[in-house]
Amino acid sequence: MRKNTKYIHAGVHPDPSTGAIMTPIFQTSTFVQASPGDHQGYEYARTGNPTRNALENAIAELEGAKYGLCFGSGLAAMDTALKMLKSGDEVIASDDLYGGSYRILTKVFSHYGIKSHFVDMSDMSKVKEKINSSTAMLWIETPTNPLLKLVDIQAITDIGKEHKLINVVDNTFASPHLQTPMALGADIVLHSATKYLGGHSDVVLGALVCDDADLAEKLYFLQNSCGAVCGPMDSFLVLRGLKTLHVRIDRACENAMKIAHFLKDHKDVSRVLYPGLEDNPYHALAVEQMTGFGGMISFDLADESMESAHKVVSNTKIWALAESLGGVESLIGHPASMTHGAIPREERMAAGLMDGTIRLSVGIEDVEDLIHDLDMAILSLKK
Ligand SMILES: *Cc1c(COP(=O)(O)O)cnc(C)c1O
């Protein structure tokens, strides 16, 4: 099956009892047994639910992995992956991480004796410098949020493998449509399915996939033991979202490229971060590692103040000022005061996330409307 066919058919089969083409929402907590242990594969819905299992199989198949597990959120998925570690272990993570991922490492797992280092993963020597006998996991995000830096997945997972580390790639920004980290050496791929996989801003859900049976067994054990599973209705919504993943992302990429060029030519904009631009430092790697440049753009106004950024993000009419990304509707955000508010200012500035950086999640509306709306909001600074 080719990729564009898989989005429609992966993981799902007509319901055997009725022939329903869409996977039913199995809204049940338990499953009747004929005699103790005599059941049809399901006992209790934390352990397994057919709607969730269909989604788990679909996401695994799209990522080119054998095993899939779904959770109540992307962070619940991350929590589960991190629980494979023990006190004393260390994690090396990207220095330009999703704010919530940074928070769970520094404010939650730090209390359980798990130490995290944050490094610029575009520089392999910085990663190697931090590896010691306690290092157990590499936490890789690419493209990063919100600076759209790319990490060379093959190069970094090679280092991880050499040191027997668990390589985890957060593939939320790219989605399996643009990038499949399992093929580039990842041991585990994480998704906040809340974003592109769901795609309609109506559900919060997370996923992990992996290929190794031992790793899968550990993750299933944690999924069942800690219980951060997603419900059947939410699983259904993401299953439905997956069916249009390719169409939505292709349009978002197309729109984003036009918007990136518009911003680049705008005299009131000083910096545009989009890997699709030929002068972007990650352009060559993006061409090699991804099949498209994605729907996320960040930019700085020439006037770098927080006030101006606040004014622009508050003055758009089509772009909604909101956290999150990856939905059909376009969103605008101010990372320093929203998604990345938890990161200390000096640390964030050192990583290149400025007071005035604005982030766009490009949706699938008419691109001329999106450009006009941004133009008007930037013009509002002059009033
Ligand atoms: C949103 C997001 C998460 C967290 O996912 P939730 O579903 O919000 O818990 C993790 N990583 C990235 C890159 C994200 O954008």
Side-chain angles (χ1 to χ4, degrees):
M1 242 193 267
R2 291 180 178 80
K3 216 157 119 179
N4 288 351
T5 308
K6 276 192 192 169
Y7 295 118
I8 318 298
H9 297 286
V12 298
H13 306 282
D15 176 49
S17 62
T18 60
I21 191 163
M22 285 300 143
T23 307
I25 301 163
F26 285 93
Q27 194 73 50
T28 186
S29 61
T30 193
F31 301 84
V32 176
Q33 311 188 10
S35 62
D38 179 8
H39 55 74
Q40 299 172 42
Y42 293 97
E43 294 162 80
Y44 184 62
R46 170 169 24 76
T47 316
N49 172 289
T51 317
R52 189 180 92 217
N53 289 162
L55 177 64
E56 294 176 326
N57 293 336
I59 297 177
E61 196 172 331
L62 294 179
E63 285 288 356
K66 285 203 193 86
Y67 307 98
L69 302 94
C70 288
F71 299 89
S73 70
L75 282 177
M78 180 167 182
D79 180 62
T80 304
L82 291 172
K83 279 177 179 155
M84 289 195 300
L85 304 179
K86 59 184 193 314
S87 178
D89 284 348
E90 295 188 7
V91 179
I92 301 176
S94 310
D95 66 351
D96 180 27
L97 212 57
Y98 172 69
S101 304
Y102 177 84
R103 185 176 55 205
I104 197 173
L105 287 168
T106 56
K107 299 256 169 75
V108 180
F109 280 89
S110 59
H111 299 314
Y112 295 93
I114 292 162
K115 188 172 168 187
S116 300
H117 302 277
F118 300 92
V119 303
D120 179 356
M121 287 195 167
S122 57
D123 182 347
M124 296 301 154
S125 66
K126 296 224 170 88
V127 178
K128 285 183 189 158
E129 241 169 58
K130 293 284 181 208
I131 296 179
N132 61 49
S133 58
S134 298
T135 311
M137 186 178 271
L138 293 180
W139 196 273
I140 303 151
E141 203 181 299
T142 180
T144 64
N145 178 17
L147 297 172
L148 287 319
K149 292 199 249 174
L150 264 68
V151 179
D152 185 333
I153 299 174
Q154 186 74 63
I156 196 160
T157 57
D158 282 350
I159 297 174
K161 283 191 164 52
E162 192 184 315
H163 295 271
K164 299 201 162 38
L165 312 178
I166 303 172
N167 296 300
V168 188
V169 177
D170 181 336
N171 203 29
T172 300
F173 263 45
S175 93
H177 188 51
L178 301 181
Q179 166 177 292
T180 43
M182 295 301 294
L184 300 170
D187 298 305
I188 296 176
V189 171
L190 174 139
H191 272 285
S192 168
T194 312
K195 317 295 168 53
Y196 284 105
L197 301 188
H200 295 75
S201 308
D202 53 8
V203 60
V204 173
L205 193 145
L208 298 174
V209 307
C210 70
D211 241 359
D212 180 83
D214 287 344
L215 215 48
E217 198 181 313
K218 283 183 186 148
L219 292 171
Y220 283 126
F221 173 80
L222 288 166
Q223 184 191 40
N224 188 43
S225 302
C226 303
V229 294
C230 49
M233 179 69 197
D234 288 352
S235 301
F236 171 83
L237 286 170
V238 176
L239 266 176
R240 171 197 256 242
L242 284 183
K243 292 184 191 292
T244 53
L245 184 71
H246 51 319
V247 183
R248 288 185 283 109
I249 293 195
D250 286 345
R251 175 60 68 83
C253 287
E254 205 179 292
N255 283 356
M257 186 65 106
K258 289 182 184 154
I259 292 165
H261 279 286
F262 157 76
L263 290 169
K264 193 170 175 317
D265 295 339
H266 203 295
K267 61 183 187 324
D268 297 326
V269 171
S270 60
R271 177 175 78 153
V272 181
L273 304 173
Y274 185 62
L277 295 174
E278 279 175 22
D279 59 358
N280 182 282
Y282 304 100
H283 182 69
L285 179 56
V287 169
E288 191 187 314
Q289 180 167 284
M290 302 174 72
T291 54
F293 304 111
M296 300 301 297
I297 303 172
S298 291
F299 70 98
D300 288 354
L301 296 166
D303 159 8
E304 290 172 359
S305 71
M306 196 169 284
E307 293 68 35
S308 294
H310 278 181
K311 200 163 173 194
V312 169
V313 301
S314 311
N315 273 310
T316 51
K317 299 205 161 51
I318 298 174
W319 299 82
L321 173 59
E323 300 204 359
S324 199
L325 61 108
V328 288
E329 60 286 291
S330 293
L331 303 181
I332 192 165
H334 182 245
S337 47
M338 296 167 70
T339 46
H340 293 62
I343 303 178
R345 184 167 185 264
E346 300 76 64
E347 215 166 296
R348 136 170 101 61
M349 302 273 278
L353 173 51
M354 302 304 164
D355 289 342
T357 304
I358 293 173
R359 190 188 80 172
L360 303 176
S361 169
V362 179
I364 64 173
E365 298 96 334
D366 189 295
V367 71
E368 296 306 326
D369 286 338
L370 294 175
I371 288 174
H372 178 72
D373 194 33
L374 266 184
D375 203 18
M376 288 300 115
I378 296 171
L379 196 67
S380 75
L381 292 176
K382 303 222 153 69
K383 287 186 189 138

